[in-house]
Amino acid sequence: MTELYSIPIIARGRIIEPGTDSVEYAGRGGARFRTPDPHKHIHDLVLGNPANLRDLMDCPVSNIVAFLAEVGKRLRLDDNPWLQESFALALQAGGLAEPILRGVYDDLPRMFDPAGLLALAEKSVGIAYLDGWVASAAPNQNCRVRAVGTRQLHITAGNVPVVAALTIVRGALTKSDVLIKAPSNDPLTANAIARSLIDIDPGHPVTKHVAVAYWKGGDEEMDRQIVRVSRIDKITAWGGMSSVKHIQKFLTPGIDLTALNPKFSMSVIGREALESDAAMEEAALGIAVVSGFYNQTACANTRIVYVESDTEEASIDKLIALGRKIIAAYAKLPPVISTALPRANADLEAEMEAIALDDDFYHVEGNTISGGVVISKFADRVDFFDQLNNRVVNIVPVADLAEVAKWCDDTTQTVGVYPESLR
């Protein structure tokens, strides 16, 4: 039997353990966990009166940063029992292999570096505006302004656990009250970080304004009780379109939604990459890294590679050679960056097998375990580009790379470029 994990609700400095009211959930990958019934703890999860943010508003940014820096020192996997439990559950529920997940967790302390936190607060808002009233720079206006914290609901994604740390850090730096709805594929990382806050100081204003709980996506009763203007000012929703559309049903004037809908990343490769074996090797390694890190589970991973090339047979042969070098490069990546997948992606394998039969238009190499490529023999991406995963990329020949702009829209996140002169 899979181990049943007990996950408490973290309610602003308090730990509410699952008891007789506990509810059991099935996470992804066969993981099982139980929590206190969230329906019975709504008042523990929401802040209510926004005036109760005063303690955090009165806390200087320097104090917040110093506290977060102390938290960062505790976020070492070898020393933190909460992170150890979170790591074990994330291995079951998430999609990252052990060496990659360990690398992600090992990177958590860096996210709490005080110099970086101060720079983030100054650049994104301005510390003077966070700590007090600032005279307006507008001419002929005798007024002052300041940044005011808000009550926030974060429906976080679990594909990469750093999202939990980012949410807590950004909430603290903007002096906001943060309620995190944990995802089923990472139900414990935010919880573990919040418990680390409590270990250091349960009464610190940052600790008193972090709540973490899990409830099933699509639970209309929970969302109806929480998403009210009397309880929430802003929502940040990560994830698929279905979850974003679901939460939109409860929006009313006075609640702002930031929808971080699914993003897709690409690379553009200049003709120079095909002109020598050395250049092709370098480009292939670059593509392997930007598509393969986190095993292609992140939005920043390249899924489509547009190459400056015509569609003549000799040119397609070069693209096939590039594809083979990309697959070979995956095998050379250190396991902390990328690994072979433990099991095939059945849906994507089916798409690849079907499209391989249409060899007048496509060439397929590799698989969804060791990595693969689908080479288009004409200037367009595959219909299933949004399903590309498991270190599989679509290589598309484009005569003029300026044409790539037509595939760029609000879902485009990161664009890799080779060579540097093309940038």
Side-chain angles (χ1 to χ4, degrees), residues 241-313:
M241 293 304 297
S242 58
S243 62
V244 173
K245 288 180 178 178
H246 169 76
I247 205 68
Q248 284 178 328
K249 295 191 297 185
F250 306 98
L251 296 180
T252 58
I255 299 178
D256 296 327
L257 170 65
T258 300
L260 300 174
N261 54 299
K263 303 292 184 182
F264 302 98
S265 295
M266 65 178 73
S267 289
V268 291
I269 308 297
R271 192 177 299 276
E272 298 91 332
L274 307 178
E275 291 178 348
S276 71
D277 193 62
M280 191 179 290
E281 290 277 359
E282 186 176 32
L285 178 59
I287 294 166
V289 171
V290 298
S291 62
F293 73 90
Y294 295 158
N295 274 8
Q296 213 176 17
T297 59
C299 296
N301 286 124
T302 282
R303 285 170 168 79
I304 307 170
V305 181
Y306 295 103
V307 182
E308 188 178 16
S309 169
D310 57 43
T311 55
E312 298 299 320
E313 184 175 355

Side-chain angles (χ1 to χ4, degrees), residues 21-332:
D21 68 340
S22 67
V23 181
E24 184 175 332
Y25 297 99
R28 303 183 196 179
R32 296 165 57 240
F33 55 91
R34 67 185 187 120
T35 75
D37 185 349
H39 299 86
K40 298 179 180 179
H41 294 280
I42 289 172
H43 288 285
D44 296 309
L45 296 176
V46 296
L47 182 64
N49 187 355
N52 291 333
L53 267 168
R54 177 178 292 275
D55 60 341
L56 190 53
M57 291 297 297
D58 289 343
C59 188
V61 167
S62 59
N63 182 295
I64 293 171
V65 167
F67 177 66
L68 292 175
E70 286 301 310
V71 174
K73 295 175 183 177
R74 303 283 185 95
L75 298 182
R76 290 188 291 267
L77 188 57
D78 292 339
D79 304 328
N80 189 313
W82 316 126
L83 281 183
Q84 290 166 4
E85 185 180 34
S86 170
F87 180 82
L89 181 53
L91 278 177
Q92 291 185 39
L96 296 180
E98 193 274 346
I100 301 173
L101 186 65
R102 182 172 293 277
V104 172
Y105 271 71
D106 287 345
D107 201 40
L108 288 176
R110 182 188 61 79
M111 300 174 67
F112 292 77
D113 172 68
L117 295 176
L118 286 170
L120 178 61
E122 181 61 42
K123 185 174 181 179
S124 58
V125 183
I127 293 174
Y129 293 91
L130 288 164
D131 279 349
W133 295 92
V134 179
S136 172
N140 305 317
Q141 288 192 11
N142 184 22
C143 63
R144 295 181 299 157
V145 295
R146 77 170 296 178
V148 178
T150 55
R151 300 166 299 170
Q152 304 174 1
L153 167 63
H154 290 260
I155 304 170
T156 58
N159 55 331
V160 182
V162 295
V163 172
L166 284 172
T167 300
I168 291 172
V169 162
R170 291 170 178 172
L173 292 179
T174 57
K175 302 189 179 183
S176 294
D177 186 90
V178 171
L179 165 58
I180 298 174
K181 178 192 177 302
S184 62
N185 54 342
D186 183 28
L188 200 46
T189 300
N191 193 294
I193 297 173
R195 293 191 76 163
S196 300
L197 302 180
I198 294 171
D199 286 345
I200 295 175
D201 186 354
H204 193 280
V206 170
T207 309
K208 301 292 285 185
H209 289 284
V210 174
V212 184
Y214 176 83
W215 63 91
K216 196 171 179 63
D219 187 331
E220 297 207 2
E221 181 60 25
M222 279 296 294
D223 295 333
R224 188 178 297 110
Q225 291 295 322
I226 288 173
V227 185
R228 299 182 176 185
V229 291
S230 60
R231 294 172 172 173
I232 293 293
D233 303 309
K234 297 183 181 294
I235 302 172
T236 299
W238 303 65
M241 293 304 297
S242 58
S243 62
V244 173
K245 288 180 178 178
H246 169 76
I247 205 68
Q248 284 178 328
K249 295 191 297 185
F250 306 98
L251 296 180
T252 58
I255 299 178
D256 296 327
L257 170 65
T258 300
L260 300 174
N261 54 299
K263 303 292 184 182
F264 302 98
S265 295
M266 65 178 73
S267 289
V268 291
I269 308 297
R271 192 177 299 276
E272 298 91 332
L274 307 178
E275 291 178 348
S276 71
D277 193 62
M280 191 179 290
E281 290 277 359
E282 186 176 32
L285 178 59
I287 294 166
V289 171
V290 298
S291 62
F293 73 90
Y294 295 158
N295 274 8
Q296 213 176 17
T297 59
C299 296
N301 286 124
T302 282
R303 285 170 168 79
I304 307 170
V305 181
Y306 295 103
V307 182
E308 188 178 16
S309 169
D310 57 43
T311 55
E312 298 299 320
E313 184 175 355
S315 297
I316 295 299
D317 286 344
K318 287 186 177 182
L319 296 184
I320 293 172
L322 174 65
R324 289 172 178 162
K325 289 182 182 295
I326 292 169
I327 296 172
Y330 286 139
K332 299 175 183 177

